[in-house]
Amino acid sequence: MTAAPATPQRIPFWKLSPEIHRTLLALTTAAKRQLDPALVDLVLIRASVINHCAFCIDMHVTDARKAGETEERIHLLNAWEEATGHYTEQEQAALALTEAVTVLTDGFVPDAVYERAAAHFDETKLAHLIALITAINAWNRINVTVRVPPGGTS
C-alpha cells in the first residue's frame, strides 16, 4: 500500500499573520498555567483527533510522549469512555467537556457535562480548561483549513 501524495499547504497562514499567531499562542500559554500538564496533553490530542488536524495530532502526541505519557493512554484516547480505568475521573470530565465544546453541532454543551467538569475543577481551573479547549479548536480549524501538514511548520 502506498501513501497518498501530500496535499500542499494552501497558504503560509502563520507567516502571513504573526500577530494572530502570537495572540493565539498567548491564549494557549495562559490557559495551560492552571492545569496539570498531563491533562493538557490529553485535551489537546483529543480535540485535534476530533477535528482531524494531523499537524496538531502529530505535535501534541510527540509532546505528550516527551513528557512521559504512556503509549497506551495516547492510543486509548479514541475510546476513552470505554477505557475509564486508564484515566482519572478528572481527566474523564475534561475529555467529556473537550468533546462537547469541540462538537457544538451536537447541540451546545449539556448541563450534565458542564456540571461533571465543574465538580472536578475549581472555577479558575474550569475557566482555564474552557480557554484551552477553545484555543486548540482555533489552532485545529486554521491548520486544517490551510492544510498544514504533520511534521510541517505552522
Side-chain angles (χ1 to χ4, degrees):
M1 180 174 189
T2 58
T7 305
Q9 188 168 333
R10 290 177 168 155
I11 60 172
F13 184 90
W14 302 112
K15 289 179 185 170
L16 296 170
S17 56
E19 68 285 356
I20 294 170
H21 186 268
R22 282 190 302 273
T23 302
L24 193 49
L25 188 56
L27 171 61
T28 305
T29 301
K32 289 178 180 181
R33 281 194 196 114
Q34 294 285 327
L35 302 171
D36 175 352
L39 180 125
V40 167
D41 288 336
L42 296 175
V43 166
L44 297 177
I45 294 167
R46 186 65 191 131
S48 298
V49 167
I50 293 167
N51 289 322
H52 303 277
C53 183
F55 174 82
C56 291
I57 295 168
D58 180 55
M59 178 173 60
H60 297 303
V61 166
T62 299
D63 291 346
R65 286 177 176 142
K66 286 179 186 174
E69 187 56 80
T70 67
E71 291 297 316
E72 186 173 38
R73 282 173 34 105
I74 291 169
H75 290 295
L76 288 173
L77 269 175
N78 287 326
W80 67 267
E81 290 174 302
E82 289 78 34
T84 55
H86 292 85
Y87 305 99
T88 67
E89 288 190 23
Q90 184 184 56
E91 289 169 340
Q92 292 172 55
L95 291 168
L97 186 62
T98 299
E99 291 190 6
V101 173
T102 300
V103 188
L104 287 175
T105 55
D106 285 350
F108 302 110
V109 176
D111 289 341
V113 172
Y114 184 87
E115 290 165 8
R116 180 180 182 187
H120 291 280
F121 296 91
D122 66 34
E123 287 183 345
T124 300
K125 288 183 180 176
L126 184 58
H128 282 252
L129 178 59
I130 293 166
L132 179 69
I133 296 166
T134 302
I136 190 58
N137 274 280
W139 288 109
N140 292 163
R141 283 161 170 73
I142 292 169
N143 287 331
V144 167
T145 300
V146 301
R147 295 184 180 157
V148 178
T153 56
S154 62

